[in-house]
Amino acid sequence: MPTTNFSHPDPYSYQVGFDSYHETEAVPGALPVAQNSPQKVPHGLYAEKLSGTAFTAPRHENKQTWVYRILPAAAHGNFVEEDADSYHTRTTTETSKLHHIPNQLRWDPFDLDDTVDWVHGLHLVAGSGDPTTKHGLGILLYAAGKDMGREAFYSADGDFLIVAQHGALNIQTELGKILVRPNEICVIPRGVRYRVTLPAGPVRGYVCELYQGHFQLPELGPIGSNGLANSRDFQAPVAAFDDDEDEQDEAKEYRLYSKFNNRLFSTTQDHTPFDIVAWHGNYYPYKYDLGRFNTIGTVSYDHPDPSIFTVLTGASDHVGTAIADFVIFPPRWLVAENTFRPPWYHRNTMSEFMRLITGDYDAKTGGGFRPAGASLHNVMSAHGPDMHAFEGASNADLKPQKIGEGSMAFMFESSLMVGVSEWGLKTCQKVQTDYNEHSWRPLKRHFRNPNKG
């Protein structure tokens, strides 16, 4: 089974299975038996419920976890808004502050930034909707070079789907520790507190924040019971906690950051946020190695829809239409006969935000789409292979061919019209002004009208 090749081994333990009920304890006997909230919790802990859905959500949708911690999460001071202007400018999805344009857009690789930590290295590139009504999504870049200190962060706005592109993220969550390396993803559910340190130096990558519902595995339909991302390959952390009882009082202060309606608030508390000794439930962070994705493809003719590469989906209220699909394009064999093998030219009612983790993408062989860069083809914006890819694929010898060796591209696809932030369109200074001119204007006319004799 292919796995991520990275020089830093993963030191943590995990439970396997997606959307499964898990229970774990870092101290034997910390989990109550038969009751969730007994009058006296073992070891003098506090019982606390973490709800990811309404209490009355249908059983198959209900997300909740019981945690047993040294002090409740409520034991902190009042939140105060932090640097309101600058943080809100970097992360807002307010419609009045986004640019909704039909042009095809492409970005040069985004810069690393070794001057900031995870919290202050987040930049909204594009998005749609409103976290206050729990509808829509935000697409963010992260770039950081500093560890978070005695701090924790959580988003009240939505679930963070983190795609690592450069460097490793050591994520200490309330529910356990996760190491995320390039070619891996991690999902941190809404409200879960965590801190990020950088064991291999500066990091860069992408986040899809889902304001509506939670990510889930796509239905397989006629594919059957196996294929694409298999639930057994997802990993959830086991319980691990800090105990600062013996530290001096002045060393105990922690700062807690909250992303709330795309604004940043903070407060302090006099104890560690990472004090959960045991937990059980089905609402927890998890990670997945993209090298374990089981690709499906044609063995006869024609190019299937990219939906066959969906890893996770954030469903809308309309069956089969997603607020956010996470789609990857991994190394795979192409064997189709008499077929133009790259993606066809198309206009899509969905918005497509493409990014490249490593290598080259087979539909953009003329250059310009590079790792750490991105492209956006919004609702009904025409796109497809560039001239070099078209000419090459049209004249290729159609023998079985493995493509994408050493490459991994991915897409955040949404049914919503996506607006581009001021930072993404102007401030970052990465937008390629010649994307259309370079990719499609050079396409040649091959048609000869037979009616003209």
Side-chain angles (χ1 to χ4, degrees):
M1 178 67 65
T3 55
T4 301
N5 180 18
F6 194 73
S7 58
H8 293 268
D10 191 334
Y12 304 126
S13 298
Y14 301 93
Q15 304 175 99
V16 298
F18 181 84
D19 206 23
S20 305
Y21 171 87
H22 287 310
E23 61 178 38
T24 172
E25 56 186 10
V27 173
L31 279 174
V33 177
Q35 281 188 273
N36 293 322
S37 183
Q39 183 181 19
K40 291 188 176 181
V41 177
H43 298 297
L45 299 171
Y46 287 86
E48 180 177 284
K49 187 177 183 182
L50 180 61
S51 297
T53 55
F55 298 142
T56 52
R59 183 182 291 268
H60 70 280
E61 296 177 359
N62 208 291
K63 298 281 189 181
Q64 60 174 346
T65 289
W66 280 94
V67 303
Y68 303 94
R69 63 192 317 154
I70 297 171
L71 285 169
H76 58 69
N78 288 332
F79 280 98
V80 176
E81 189 163 2
E82 286 258 331
D83 194 12
D85 291 337
S86 67
Y87 194 84
H88 186 228
T89 299
R90 287 194 286 112
T91 61
T92 184
T93 50
E94 291 178 17
T95 301
S96 62
K97 294 183 171 63
L98 295 177
H99 302 269
H100 294 84
I101 51 181
N103 293 331
Q104 307 96 332
L105 295 173
R106 188 161 70 185
W107 287 262
D108 286 328
F110 294 99
D111 295 330
L112 294 167
D113 188 349
D114 59 7
T115 67
V116 295
D117 63 13
W118 170 265
V119 177
H120 300 91
L122 294 168
H123 293 271
L124 184 87
V125 181
S128 182
D130 183 353
T132 68
T133 59
K134 295 185 177 178
H135 175 70
L137 78 164
I139 298 172
L140 301 98
L141 166 80
Y142 71 81
K146 291 183 176 180
D147 293 343
M148 290 176 64
R150 298 176 69 84
E151 299 166 318
F153 170 83
Y154 74 92
S155 175
D157 294 343
D159 290 8
F160 264 40
L161 190 164
I162 301 166
V163 184
Q165 187 273 323
H166 178 94
L169 302 171
N170 192 350
I171 304 178
Q172 180 181 14
T173 80
E174 295 179 277
L175 302 175
K177 298 178 180 179
I178 301 176
L179 181 66
V180 185
R181 301 162 290 190
N183 226 42
E184 294 180 333
I185 64 170
C186 176
V187 173
I188 309 290
R190 182 197 309 266
V192 171
R193 298 173 180 182
Y194 63 99
R195 68 188 290 264
V196 178
T197 56
L198 315 177
V203 296
R204 177 178 55 204
Y206 314 99
V207 175
C208 181
E209 186 173 19
L210 182 64
Y211 304 149
Q212 179 171 341
H214 302 288
F215 287 104
Q216 60 194 53
L217 290 174
E219 299 294 341
L220 292 177
I223 292 175
S225 58
N226 296 288
L228 310 188
N230 291 306
S231 60
R232 64 171 296 200
D233 293 319
F234 288 81
Q235 298 176 294
V238 300
F241 70 98
D242 293 341
D243 186 355
D244 55 10
E245 181 183 19
D246 296 329
E247 294 184 12
Q248 298 296 319
D249 288 343
E250 61 270 17
K252 289 185 178 182
E253 184 171 276
Y254 275 78
R255 181 162 295 276
L256 174 62
Y257 291 101
S258 172
K259 181 176 179 289
F260 202 90
N261 190 23
N262 282 318
R263 288 169 164 83
L264 186 66
F265 294 79
S266 76
T267 185
T268 58
Q269 60 186 58
D270 61 1
H271 61 281
T272 175
F274 307 107
D275 64 353
I276 293 176
V277 180
W279 60 269
H280 70 88
N282 65 353
Y283 190 64
Y284 46 75
Y286 54 87
K287 79 167 191 171
Y288 176 74
D289 183 342
L290 299 180
R292 295 180 178 269
F293 188 81
N294 184 11
T295 54
I296 303 292
T298 182
V299 291
S300 56
Y301 65 89
D302 275 353
H303 184 98
D305 295 335
S307 50
I308 61 172
F309 300 116
T310 302
V311 181
L312 293 170
T313 184
S316 72
D317 297 332
H318 187 74
V319 175
T321 303
I323 295 297
D325 278 334
F326 173 60
V327 181
I328 67 172
F329 302 96
R332 60 202 183 277
W333 282 96
L334 296 183
V335 300
E337 299 177 329
N338 191 30
T339 295
F340 183 77
R341 290 178 175 176
W344 12 257
Y345 294 99
H346 60 293
R347 291 171 291 166
N348 193 354
T349 188
M350 307 282 279
S351 298
E352 302 177 21
F353 203 99
M354 282 278 297
R355 288 166 171 185
L356 188 61
I357 297 174
T358 186
D360 298 303
Y361 179 54
D362 61 300
K364 295 289 186 290
T365 60
F369 187 54
R370 301 193 297 278
S375 67
L376 172 62
H377 304 134
N378 224 319
V379 172
M380 290 302 173
S381 294
H383 57 286
D386 60 25
M387 182 192 70
H388 297 276
F390 174 82
E391 296 295 340
S394 298
N395 298 289
D397 180 11
L398 293 183
K399 58 186 179 181
Q401 174 188 11
K402 184 112 182 242
I403 68 161
E405 289 279 24
S407 175
M408 182 67 75
F410 73 92
M411 177 167 65
F412 296 144
E413 187 177 63
S414 176
S415 60
L416 305 177
M417 182 176 289
V418 171
V420 184
S421 70
E422 183 75 9
W423 186 91
L425 190 64
K426 299 177 182 179
T427 309
C428 71
Q429 298 183 346
K430 296 297 180 182
V431 174
Q432 297 177 10
T433 58
D434 61 348
Y435 179 31
N436 188 296
E437 294 289 333
H438 181 78
S439 296
W440 301 292
R441 290 294 291 273
L443 288 167
K444 301 174 183 178
R445 177 188 171 109
H446 296 287
F447 177 71
R448 296 292 181 267
N449 189 343
N451 296 325
K452 290 187 176 180

